[in-house]
Amino acid sequence: ALHLAQAEDGKGLDDFQKVYNAIAEKLRDEDEFDGYIGYGPNLVRLSWHVSGTFDKNDNSGGSFGGTYRFKKEADDPANKGLQNAARFLEPIAKKFPWISHGDLYTLAGVTALQEMQGPKIPWRPGRVDADEKDAPENGRLPDASKDGNYVRHYFGRFGFSDQEIVALLGAHCLGKTHLENSGYEGPWGAATNTFTNEFFVNLLNENWKLEKNDAGNEQYNSNKGYMMLPTDYGLIQDGKFKKYVEKYAKDQDAFFEDFKSAYVKLLENGIDFSKLGKAYVFKTLDEQDS
Ligand code: HEM
Ligand SMILES: CCOC(=O)c1cnc2ccccc2c1N
């Protein structure tokens, strides 16, 4: 059965907005990280990795239990580089000991996206920390060296449509790949910390060359120093995916709307929120500047 959301007792919008603001202020303050990209993209990746372990066949994994806090999950080779996001969140967890790890990891991704000018992401609390025995085994996160069909099959495990898959991958407009983390490198100089539909525009407009990188892995490089993973590139090799790439390259609002819905589905997969009221929509720091 699905995990039943149980919100932290007596905590409401104002309490979670305080956590949002603490993360957002720390993001602004520590802007030099990773060549002045900042922690935003890394926090978004953490929120996806703690959710992407979900398996609808037995409702295991997923964001509910906050099991990333255990080495068994944190040390998954696929999570290499996310130690930065985890370290960033430690003082936040200390300042707000009442928030569960699952809620913190997902709220941090929402905060980062909104502070990077992304869409407003409705968010619901109620994830409850589980034990180490509930941590999913390694190997549930995707392999970047594969093609579009692999990506379709992989996300089929969560019940995502072609349109939801393409929208979700639009998050690859943020940050960069790091050779020491994943065996992929780049984009050089083009890495961004602003949420846009640029990933789709680049996919369609650049001429991509498949090259071996310094780790011996094949990736697509463009003469502007952009890069795409083989799984990224699979979105334009596969006709059914490509039509959504074209839609989002033309219409950023449509991308924002569809990304928001798919991202919420990713973060809430496997959890029954029916006992809770409506989702919270947080104000950005800019919207609160009195
Ligand atoms: C086919 C599915 C996916 C694959 C194979 C994949 C693979 C990767 C790889 C290899 C990296 C580089 C990590 C590093 O070297 O530091 C990366 C980074 C990233 N991914 Fe994905 N990813 C996928 C889906 C997603 C999704 C669904 C999201 C969010 C909704 C996402 C968000 C990010 C972000 C924001 C970064 C940049 C992290 C940073 O700059 O530190 N990815 N991804
Ligand atoms: C808009 C310029 O960035 C890109 O084209 C791009 C492409 N794939 C990625 C894959 C993983 C992480 C970041 C990625 C990225 N920033």
Side-chain angles (χ1 to χ4, degrees), residues 18-27 30 33 39-48 50 66 68-69 81-97 99-112 263:
K18 285 194 182 78
V19 183
Y20 177 107
N21 289 352
I23 295 166
E25 277 151 18
K26 191 173 165 71
L27 272 174
E30 298 179 16
F33 173 69
Y39 283 92
N42 207 250
L43 289 170
V44 171
R45 185 167 197 236
L46 176 64
S47 70
W48 131 243
V50 302
Y68 172 89
R69 72 189 190 281
L82 293 178
Q83 291 83 357
N84 295 299
R87 207 176 26 253
F88 175 97
L89 290 175
E90 275 163 15
I92 308 288
K94 284 197 180 50
K95 189 172 178 197
F96 303 95
I99 193 168
S100 68
H101 286 85
D103 282 352
L104 180 61
Y105 297 144
T106 53
L107 177 55
V110 168
T111 305
Y263 182 68

Tab-separated table of all heavy atoms in Angstrom, residues 18-27 30 33 39-48 50 66 68-69 81-97 99-112 263:
chain	number	residue	atom	x	y	z
A	18	LYS	N	9.670	29.226	6.306
A	18	LYS	CA	10.908	29.556	7.036
A	18	LYS	C	12.061	28.638	6.582
A	18	LYS	O	13.195	29.085	6.402
A	18	LYS	CB	10.714	29.432	8.549
A	18	LYS	CG	9.918	30.580	9.177
A	18	LYS	CD	10.047	30.587	10.699
A	18	LYS	CE	9.222	31.708	11.339
A	18	LYS	NZ	7.763	31.354	11.398
A	19	VAL	N	11.720	27.361	6.376
A	19	VAL	CA	12.747	26.412	5.897
A	19	VAL	C	13.154	26.804	4.476
A	19	VAL	O	14.340	26.889	4.148
A	19	VAL	CB	12.229	24.960	5.924
A	19	VAL	CG1	13.340	23.994	5.484
A	19	VAL	CG2	11.725	24.587	7.318
A	20	TYR	N	12.150	27.109	3.636
A	20	TYR	CA	12.405	27.564	2.255
A	20	TYR	C	13.369	28.751	2.287
A	20	TYR	O	14.397	28.756	1.593
A	20	TYR	CB	11.072	27.962	1.595
A	20	TYR	CG	11.197	28.527	0.199
A	20	TYR	CD1	10.810	27.794	-0.923
A	20	TYR	CD2	11.710	29.813	-0.024
A	20	TYR	CE1	10.921	28.313	-2.205
A	20	TYR	CE2	11.831	30.331	-1.297
A	20	TYR	CZ	11.441	29.594	-2.382
A	20	TYR	OH	11.566	30.108	-3.666
A	21	ASN	N	13.054	29.745	3.129
A	21	ASN	CA	13.862	30.968	3.170
A	21	ASN	C	15.290	30.690	3.640
A	21	ASN	O	16.255	31.261	3.113
A	21	ASN	CB	13.213	32.003	4.080
A	21	ASN	CG	11.948	32.583	3.458
A	21	ASN	OD1	11.627	32.316	2.289
A	21	ASN	ND2	11.202	33.359	4.238
A	22	ALA	N	15.446	29.779	4.600
A	22	ALA	CA	16.796	29.447	5.092
A	22	ALA	C	17.617	28.815	3.962
A	22	ALA	O	18.794	29.163	3.757
A	22	ALA	CB	16.691	28.492	6.278
A	23	ILE	N	16.987	27.928	3.181
A	23	ILE	CA	17.696	27.301	2.054
A	23	ILE	C	18.010	28.354	0.986
A	23	ILE	O	19.126	28.449	0.483
A	23	ILE	CB	16.839	26.166	1.450
A	23	ILE	CG1	16.652	25.030	2.455
A	23	ILE	CG2	17.469	25.621	0.158
A	23	ILE	CD1	15.560	24.023	2.074
A	24	ALA	N	17.014	29.203	0.689
A	24	ALA	CA	17.169	30.212	-0.374
A	24	ALA	C	18.246	31.224	-0.016
A	24	ALA	O	19.049	31.622	-0.864
A	24	ALA	CB	15.832	30.908	-0.616
A	25	GLU	N	18.312	31.620	1.255
A	25	GLU	CA	19.331	32.592	1.677
A	25	GLU	C	20.731	31.980	1.611
A	25	GLU	O	21.686	32.610	1.161
A	25	GLU	CB	19.024	33.121	3.089
A	25	GLU	CG	18.012	34.269	3.062
A	25	GLU	CD	17.153	34.369	4.315
A	25	GLU	OE1	17.548	33.790	5.358
A	25	GLU	OE2	16.090	35.017	4.246
A	26	LYS	N	20.811	30.705	1.976
A	26	LYS	CA	22.110	30.009	1.926
A	26	LYS	C	22.544	29.842	0.463
A	26	LYS	O	23.718	29.968	0.126
A	26	LYS	CB	22.001	28.658	2.629
A	26	LYS	CG	23.321	27.945	2.892
A	26	LYS	CD	23.096	26.696	3.754
A	26	LYS	CE	24.289	25.767	3.745
A	26	LYS	NZ	25.469	26.233	4.460
A	27	LEU	N	21.568	29.624	-0.424
A	27	LEU	CA	21.887	29.513	-1.862
A	27	LEU	C	22.498	30.818	-2.368
A	27	LEU	O	23.490	30.825	-3.091
A	27	LEU	CB	20.604	29.223	-2.661
A	27	LEU	CG	20.176	27.778	-2.841
A	27	LEU	CD1	18.819	27.709	-3.535
A	27	LEU	CD2	21.224	27.009	-3.641
A	30	GLU	N	26.127	31.347	-0.675
A	30	GLU	CA	27.234	30.470	-1.102
A	30	GLU	C	27.194	30.315	-2.624
A	30	GLU	O	26.993	29.225	-3.143
A	30	GLU	CB	27.136	29.136	-0.360
A	30	GLU	CG	27.278	29.358	1.145
A	30	GLU	CD	27.160	28.072	1.962
A	30	GLU	OE1	27.273	26.985	1.376
A	30	GLU	OE2	26.949	28.179	3.179
A	33	PHE	N	30.156	28.163	-5.275
A	33	PHE	CA	30.289	26.708	-5.438
A	33	PHE	C	30.277	26.294	-6.922
A	33	PHE	O	29.515	26.863	-7.719
A	33	PHE	CB	29.144	26.002	-4.688
A	33	PHE	CG	29.084	24.505	-4.930
A	33	PHE	CD1	30.071	23.655	-4.429
A	33	PHE	CD2	28.053	23.956	-5.693
A	33	PHE	CE1	30.013	22.293	-4.668
A	33	PHE	CE2	27.994	22.581	-5.930
A	33	PHE	CZ	28.980	21.743	-5.405
A	39	TYR	N	24.763	26.008	-5.576
A	39	TYR	CA	24.273	24.694	-5.156
A	39	TYR	C	22.921	24.319	-5.772
A	39	TYR	O	22.464	23.182	-5.620
A	39	TYR	CB	24.153	24.657	-3.629
A	39	TYR	CG	25.464	24.489	-2.908
A	39	TYR	CD1	26.207	25.591	-2.479
A	39	TYR	CD2	25.980	23.222	-2.672
A	39	TYR	CE1	27.424	25.434	-1.824
A	39	TYR	CE2	27.194	23.055	-2.018
A	39	TYR	CZ	27.910	24.163	-1.592
A	39	TYR	OH	29.117	24.001	-0.950
A	40	GLY	N	22.259	25.262	-6.426
A	40	GLY	CA	20.903	25.008	-6.938
A	40	GLY	C	20.757	23.746	-7.757
A	40	GLY	O	19.958	22.863	-7.400
A	41	PRO	N	21.540	23.594	-8.848
A	41	PRO	CA	21.393	22.386	-9.667
A	41	PRO	C	21.646	21.102	-8.887
A	41	PRO	O	20.952	20.107	-9.061
A	41	PRO	CB	22.429	22.594	-10.779
A	41	PRO	CG	22.544	24.089	-10.898
A	41	PRO	CD	22.427	24.585	-9.483
A	42	ASN	N	22.620	21.141	-7.982
A	42	ASN	CA	22.952	19.946	-7.194
A	42	ASN	C	21.796	19.568	-6.274
A	42	ASN	O	21.483	18.379	-6.113
A	42	ASN	CB	24.229	20.226	-6.385
A	42	ASN	CG	25.003	18.956	-6.079
A	42	ASN	OD1	25.051	18.526	-4.936
A	42	ASN	ND2	25.577	18.339	-7.090
A	43	LEU	N	21.123	20.569	-5.722
A	43	LEU	CA	19.961	20.307	-4.847
A	43	LEU	C	18.798	19.730	-5.669
A	43	LEU	O	18.075	18.843	-5.207
A	43	LEU	CB	19.520	21.576	-4.135
A	43	LEU	CG	20.454	22.089	-3.030
A	43	LEU	CD1	20.022	23.481	-2.576
A	43	LEU	CD2	20.470	21.138	-1.843
A	44	VAL	N	18.640	20.228	-6.899
A	44	VAL	CA	17.569	19.691	-7.749
A	44	VAL	C	17.867	18.236	-8.075
A	44	VAL	O	16.994	17.364	-8.005
A	44	VAL	CB	17.423	20.516	-9.049
A	44	VAL	CG1	16.471	19.844	-10.032
A	44	VAL	CG2	16.939	21.930	-8.722
A	45	ARG	N	19.169	17.949	-8.370
A	45	ARG	CA	19.515	16.560	-8.693
A	45	ARG	C	19.274	15.646	-7.486
A	45	ARG	O	18.779	14.531	-7.633
A	45	ARG	CB	20.976	16.461	-9.151
A	45	ARG	CG	21.335	15.070	-9.609
A	45	ARG	CD	22.645	14.969	-10.349
A	45	ARG	NE	22.689	13.713	-11.075
A	45	ARG	CZ	23.653	12.802	-10.929
A	45	ARG	NH1	24.658	13.039	-10.112
A	45	ARG	NH2	23.594	11.674	-11.601
A	46	LEU	N	19.600	16.159	-6.267
A	46	LEU	CA	19.373	15.344	-5.055
A	46	LEU	C	17.882	15.013	-4.921
A	46	LEU	O	17.515	13.866	-4.665
A	46	LEU	CB	19.861	16.075	-3.812
A	46	LEU	CG	19.596	15.367	-2.487
A	46	LEU	CD1	20.347	14.041	-2.397
A	46	LEU	CD2	19.958	16.263	-1.310
A	47	SER	N	17.011	16.015	-5.152
A	47	SER	CA	15.563	15.784	-4.981
A	47	SER	C	15.068	14.729	-5.978
A	47	SER	O	14.168	13.947	-5.673
A	47	SER	CB	14.793	17.093	-5.161
A	47	SER	OG	14.805	17.529	-6.505
A	48	TRP	N	15.673	14.691	-7.152
A	48	TRP	CA	15.307	13.678	-8.167
A	48	TRP	C	15.892	12.324	-7.767
A	48	TRP	O	15.198	11.295	-7.825
A	48	TRP	CB	15.749	14.144	-9.557
A	48	TRP	CG	16.500	13.254	-10.465
A	48	TRP	CD1	17.770	13.454	-10.933
A	48	TRP	CD2	16.057	12.018	-11.081
A	48	TRP	NE1	18.131	12.457	-11.803
A	48	TRP	CE2	17.105	11.550	-11.903
A	48	TRP	CE3	14.886	11.281	-11.012
A	48	TRP	CZ2	17.020	10.377	-12.646
A	48	TRP	CZ3	14.796	10.104	-11.758
A	48	TRP	CH2	15.844	9.666	-12.562
A	50	VAL	N	16.596	11.096	-4.812
A	50	VAL	CA	15.947	10.460	-3.659
A	50	VAL	C	14.551	9.953	-4.043
A	50	VAL	O	13.990	9.087	-3.379
A	50	VAL	CB	15.859	11.400	-2.429
A	50	VAL	CG1	17.233	11.880	-1.995
A	50	VAL	CG2	14.926	12.575	-2.678
A	66	GLY	N	13.215	9.162	3.374
A	66	GLY	CA	14.427	9.958	3.586
A	66	GLY	C	15.667	9.092	3.767
A	66	GLY	O	16.612	9.450	4.476
A	68	TYR	N	18.078	8.418	1.957
A	68	TYR	CA	19.368	8.890	1.386
A	68	TYR	C	20.333	9.188	2.535
A	68	TYR	O	21.554	9.129	2.367
A	68	TYR	CB	19.153	10.144	0.515
A	68	TYR	CG	20.457	10.765	0.065
A	68	TYR	CD1	21.085	10.365	-1.111
A	68	TYR	CD2	21.089	11.733	0.863
A	68	TYR	CE1	22.310	10.910	-1.494
A	68	TYR	CE2	22.311	12.275	0.499
A	68	TYR	CZ	22.919	11.859	-0.675
A	68	TYR	OH	24.134	12.377	-1.058
A	69	ARG	N	19.794	9.470	3.739
A	69	ARG	CA	20.663	9.837	4.874
A	69	ARG	C	21.542	8.675	5.314
A	69	ARG	O	22.510	8.863	6.047
A	69	ARG	CB	19.831	10.370	6.037
A	69	ARG	CG	19.015	9.368	6.792
A	69	ARG	CD	18.069	10.053	7.768
A	69	ARG	NE	17.407	9.144	8.684
A	69	ARG	CZ	16.352	8.405	8.335
A	69	ARG	NH1	15.866	8.471	7.080
A	69	ARG	NH2	15.806	7.581	9.217
A	81	GLY	N	28.766	13.045	-6.047
A	81	GLY	CA	28.647	14.482	-6.276
A	81	GLY	C	27.529	15.087	-5.450
A	81	GLY	O	27.511	16.281	-5.166
A	82	LEU	N	26.574	14.246	-5.030
A	82	LEU	CA	25.439	14.768	-4.255
A	82	LEU	C	25.809	14.972	-2.791
A	82	LEU	O	25.043	15.568	-2.030
A	82	LEU	CB	24.225	13.836	-4.395
A	82	LEU	CG	23.627	13.808	-5.805
A	82	LEU	CD1	22.460	12.833	-5.889
A	82	LEU	CD2	23.176	15.205	-6.239
A	83	GLN	N	27.013	14.537	-2.396
A	83	GLN	CA	27.480	14.799	-1.034
A	83	GLN	C	27.502	16.318	-0.795
A	83	GLN	O	27.325	16.773	0.326
A	83	GLN	CB	28.893	14.233	-0.823
A	83	GLN	CG	28.971	12.713	-0.820
A	83	GLN	CD	29.038	12.112	-2.226
A	83	GLN	OE1	28.968	12.809	-3.228
A	83	GLN	NE2	29.160	10.801	-2.279
A	84	ASN	N	27.734	17.078	-1.907
A	84	ASN	CA	27.765	18.543	-1.767
A	84	ASN	C	26.402	19.075	-1.311
A	84	ASN	O	26.313	19.892	-0.406
A	84	ASN	CB	28.161	19.183	-3.102
A	84	ASN	CG	29.573	18.819	-3.507
A	84	ASN	OD1	30.519	19.131	-2.788
A	84	ASN	ND2	29.717	18.119	-4.621
A	85	ALA	N	25.350	18.556	-1.944
A	85	ALA	CA	23.992	18.999	-1.571
A	85	ALA	C	23.667	18.555	-0.145
A	85	ALA	O	23.078	19.312	0.628
A	85	ALA	CB	22.980	18.421	-2.561
A	86	ALA	N	24.088	17.339	0.191
A	86	ALA	CA	23.789	16.809	1.535
A	86	ALA	C	24.487	17.654	2.595
A	86	ALA	O	23.896	18.031	3.612
A	86	ALA	CB	24.239	15.347	1.621
A	87	ARG	N	25.742	18.041	2.312
A	87	ARG	CA	26.496	18.865	3.279
A	87	ARG	C	25.851	20.244	3.392
A	87	ARG	O	25.725	20.795	4.478
A	87	ARG	CB	27.952	18.976	2.808
A	87	ARG	CG	28.948	19.204	3.918
A	87	ARG	CD	30.406	19.227	3.498
A	87	ARG	NE	30.616	19.622	2.124
A	87	ARG	CZ	30.978	18.763	1.158
A	87	ARG	NH1	31.088	17.476	1.441
A	87	ARG	NH2	31.166	19.179	-0.069
A	88	PHE	N	25.386	20.759	2.269
A	88	PHE	CA	24.716	22.070	2.251
A	88	PHE	C	23.489	22.035	3.172
A	88	PHE	O	23.201	23.002	3.881
A	88	PHE	CB	24.297	22.384	0.807
A	88	PHE	CG	23.498	23.644	0.626
A	88	PHE	CD1	24.109	24.830	0.239
A	88	PHE	CD2	22.123	23.649	0.823
A	88	PHE	CE1	23.362	26.000	0.060
A	88	PHE	CE2	21.371	24.806	0.647
A	88	PHE	CZ	21.998	25.985	0.262
A	89	LEU	N	22.782	20.905	3.209
A	89	LEU	CA	21.515	20.823	3.957
A	89	LEU	C	21.686	20.501	5.439
A	89	LEU	O	20.744	20.670	6.224
A	89	LEU	CB	20.590	19.794	3.289
A	89	LEU	CG	20.029	20.207	1.923
A	89	LEU	CD1	19.232	19.061	1.295
A	89	LEU	CD2	19.148	21.461	2.044
A	90	GLU	N	22.898	20.059	5.833
A	90	GLU	CA	23.085	19.683	7.246
A	90	GLU	C	22.715	20.795	8.223
A	90	GLU	O	21.913	20.577	9.136
A	90	GLU	CB	24.529	19.197	7.477
A	90	GLU	CG	24.712	17.725	7.154
A	90	GLU	CD	26.187	17.334	6.985
A	90	GLU	OE1	27.076	18.129	7.389
A	90	GLU	OE2	26.425	16.263	6.415
A	91	PRO	N	23.235	22.016	8.041
A	91	PRO	CA	22.858	23.072	9.002
A	91	PRO	C	21.371	23.427	8.951
A	91	PRO	O	20.798	23.851	9.956
A	91	PRO	CB	23.722	24.269	8.586
A	91	PRO	CG	24.296	23.950	7.263
A	91	PRO	CD	24.253	22.490	7.077
A	92	ILE	N	20.737	23.209	7.796
A	92	ILE	CA	19.298	23.486	7.691
A	92	ILE	C	18.542	22.457	8.536
A	92	ILE	O	17.624	22.792	9.292
A	92	ILE	CB	18.809	23.418	6.220
A	92	ILE	CG1	19.656	24.300	5.297
A	92	ILE	CG2	17.319	23.742	6.139
A	92	ILE	CD1	19.472	25.781	5.431
A	93	ALA	N	18.970	21.196	8.433
A	93	ALA	CA	18.317	20.123	9.212
A	93	ALA	C	18.494	20.383	10.717
A	93	ALA	O	17.591	20.129	11.515
A	93	ALA	CB	18.919	18.770	8.836
A	94	LYS	N	19.655	20.968	11.101
A	94	LYS	CA	19.898	21.252	12.529
A	94	LYS	C	19.000	22.400	13.013
A	94	LYS	O	18.461	22.382	14.111
A	94	LYS	CB	21.361	21.609	12.770
A	94	LYS	CG	22.270	20.381	12.731
A	94	LYS	CD	23.637	20.611	13.360
A	94	LYS	CE	24.480	19.346	13.288
A	94	LYS	NZ	24.503	18.770	11.903
A	95	LYS	N	18.815	23.377	12.110
A	95	LYS	CA	18.046	24.551	12.500
A	95	LYS	C	16.548	24.224	12.606
A	95	LYS	O	15.804	24.834	13.370
A	95	LYS	CB	18.276	25.671	11.474
A	95	LYS	CG	17.697	27.009	11.871
A	95	LYS	CD	18.105	28.135	10.938
A	95	LYS	CE	17.425	29.442	11.384
A	95	LYS	NZ	17.445	30.459	10.313
A	96	PHE	N	16.131	23.223	11.814
A	96	PHE	CA	14.702	22.828	11.799
A	96	PHE	C	14.600	21.328	12.050
A	96	PHE	O	14.262	20.563	11.144
A	96	PHE	CB	14.063	23.196	10.465
A	96	PHE	CG	14.173	24.658	10.103
A	96	PHE	CD1	15.209	25.100	9.298
A	96	PHE	CD2	13.260	25.581	10.589
A	96	PHE	CE1	15.329	26.453	8.971
A	96	PHE	CE2	13.365	26.931	10.260
A	96	PHE	CZ	14.406	27.371	9.453
A	97	PRO	N	14.924	20.870	13.291
A	97	PRO	CA	14.988	19.429	13.583
A	97	PRO	C	13.654	18.711	13.424
A	97	PRO	O	13.605	17.492	13.337
A	97	PRO	CB	15.475	19.376	15.038
A	97	PRO	CG	15.215	20.724	15.602
A	97	PRO	CD	15.200	21.693	14.478
A	99	ILE	N	11.688	18.839	10.819
A	99	ILE	CA	11.304	18.441	9.452
A	99	ILE	C	11.906	17.079	9.129
A	99	ILE	O	13.056	16.787	9.467
A	99	ILE	CB	11.739	19.510	8.409
A	99	ILE	CG1	11.054	19.243	7.058
A	99	ILE	CG2	13.247	19.574	8.236
A	99	ILE	CD1	11.187	20.393	6.062
A	100	SER	N	11.130	16.225	8.461
A	100	SER	CA	11.665	14.891	8.101
A	100	SER	C	12.683	15.044	6.973
A	100	SER	O	12.677	16.033	6.233
A	100	SER	CB	10.513	13.990	7.633
A	100	SER	OG	10.000	14.464	6.381
A	101	HIS	N	13.552	14.027	6.820
A	101	HIS	CA	14.575	14.109	5.764
A	101	HIS	C	13.942	14.082	4.382
A	101	HIS	O	14.355	14.823	3.479
A	101	HIS	CB	15.579	12.970	5.939
A	101	HIS	CG	16.517	13.190	7.083
A	101	HIS	ND1	16.209	12.848	8.386
A	101	HIS	CD2	17.739	13.779	7.137
A	101	HIS	CE1	17.207	13.179	9.171
A	101	HIS	NE2	18.149	13.742	8.463
A	102	GLY	N	12.907	13.267	4.230
A	102	GLY	CA	12.232	13.202	2.922
A	102	GLY	C	11.621	14.539	2.551
A	102	GLY	O	11.713	14.984	1.399
A	103	ASP	N	11.021	15.194	3.536
A	103	ASP	CA	10.447	16.522	3.259
A	103	ASP	C	11.548	17.531	2.977
A	103	ASP	O	11.417	18.373	2.082
A	103	ASP	CB	9.587	16.985	4.449
A	103	ASP	CG	8.208	16.320	4.466
A	103	ASP	OD1	7.864	15.612	3.480
A	103	ASP	OD2	7.482	16.501	5.466
A	104	LEU	N	12.666	17.463	3.725
A	104	LEU	CA	13.764	18.411	3.515
A	104	LEU	C	14.383	18.260	2.128
A	104	LEU	O	14.580	19.242	1.410
A	104	LEU	CB	14.828	18.235	4.605
A	104	LEU	CG	16.042	19.171	4.492
A	104	LEU	CD1	15.617	20.636	4.585
A	104	LEU	CD2	17.076	18.842	5.563
A	105	TYR	N	14.665	17.013	1.723
A	105	TYR	CA	15.321	16.784	0.424
A	105	TYR	C	14.447	17.269	-0.733
A	105	TYR	O	14.933	17.824	-1.718
A	105	TYR	CB	15.629	15.296	0.220
A	105	TYR	CG	16.600	14.667	1.195
A	105	TYR	CD1	16.416	13.348	1.614
A	105	TYR	CD2	17.691	15.371	1.695
A	105	TYR	CE1	17.299	12.747	2.502
A	105	TYR	CE2	18.580	14.776	2.587
A	105	TYR	CZ	18.368	13.466	2.986
A	105	TYR	OH	19.242	12.862	3.868
A	106	THR	N	13.140	17.033	-0.620
A	106	THR	CA	12.246	17.440	-1.717
A	106	THR	C	11.979	18.935	-1.677
A	106	THR	O	11.999	19.613	-2.720
A	106	THR	CB	10.909	16.661	-1.651
A	106	THR	OG1	10.336	16.797	-0.338
A	106	THR	CG2	11.127	15.183	-1.970
A	107	LEU	N	11.808	19.497	-0.468
A	107	LEU	CA	11.590	20.945	-0.347
A	107	LEU	C	12.803	21.721	-0.861
A	107	LEU	O	12.666	22.775	-1.486
A	107	LEU	CB	11.282	21.323	1.108
A	107	LEU	CG	11.095	22.811	1.416
A	107	LEU	CD1	10.021	23.444	0.535
A	107	LEU	CD2	10.735	23.000	2.897
A	108	ALA	N	13.997	21.174	-0.638
A	108	ALA	CA	15.219	21.849	-1.107
A	108	ALA	C	15.247	21.931	-2.631
A	108	ALA	O	15.662	22.948	-3.209
A	108	ALA	CB	16.451	21.111	-0.589
A	109	GLY	N	14.765	20.880	-3.301
A	109	GLY	CA	14.716	20.909	-4.773
A	109	GLY	C	13.712	21.938	-5.269
A	109	GLY	O	13.995	22.701	-6.210
A	110	VAL	N	12.560	22.008	-4.590
A	110	VAL	CA	11.526	22.998	-4.939
A	110	VAL	C	12.064	24.410	-4.748
A	110	VAL	O	11.917	25.279	-5.618
A	110	VAL	CB	10.263	22.774	-4.065
A	110	VAL	CG1	9.294	23.946	-4.175
A	110	VAL	CG2	9.585	21.460	-4.444
A	111	THR	N	12.744	24.619	-3.617
A	111	THR	CA	13.317	25.939	-3.316
A	111	THR	C	14.328	26.334	-4.391
A	111	THR	O	14.276	27.444	-4.942
A	111	THR	CB	14.004	25.925	-1.941
A	111	THR	OG1	13.080	25.474	-0.945
A	111	THR	CG2	14.529	27.299	-1.568
A	112	ALA	N	15.225	25.423	-4.716
A	112	ALA	CA	16.273	25.717	-5.714
A	112	ALA	C	15.645	26.058	-7.058
A	112	ALA	O	16.019	27.053	-7.700
A	112	ALA	CB	17.214	24.524	-5.852
A	263	TYR	N	7.374	16.942	-12.236
A	263	TYR	CA	8.284	16.988	-11.087
A	263	TYR	C	7.515	16.690	-9.798
A	263	TYR	O	8.000	15.934	-8.938
A	263	TYR	CB	8.951	18.370	-11.033
A	263	TYR	CG	9.965	18.570	-9.929
A	263	TYR	CD1	11.179	17.899	-9.923
A	263	TYR	CD2	9.708	19.470	-8.892
A	263	TYR	CE1	12.110	18.100	-8.912
A	263	TYR	CE2	10.631	19.678	-7.880
A	263	TYR	CZ	11.835	19.000	-7.903
A	263	TYR	OH	12.757	19.212	-6.888
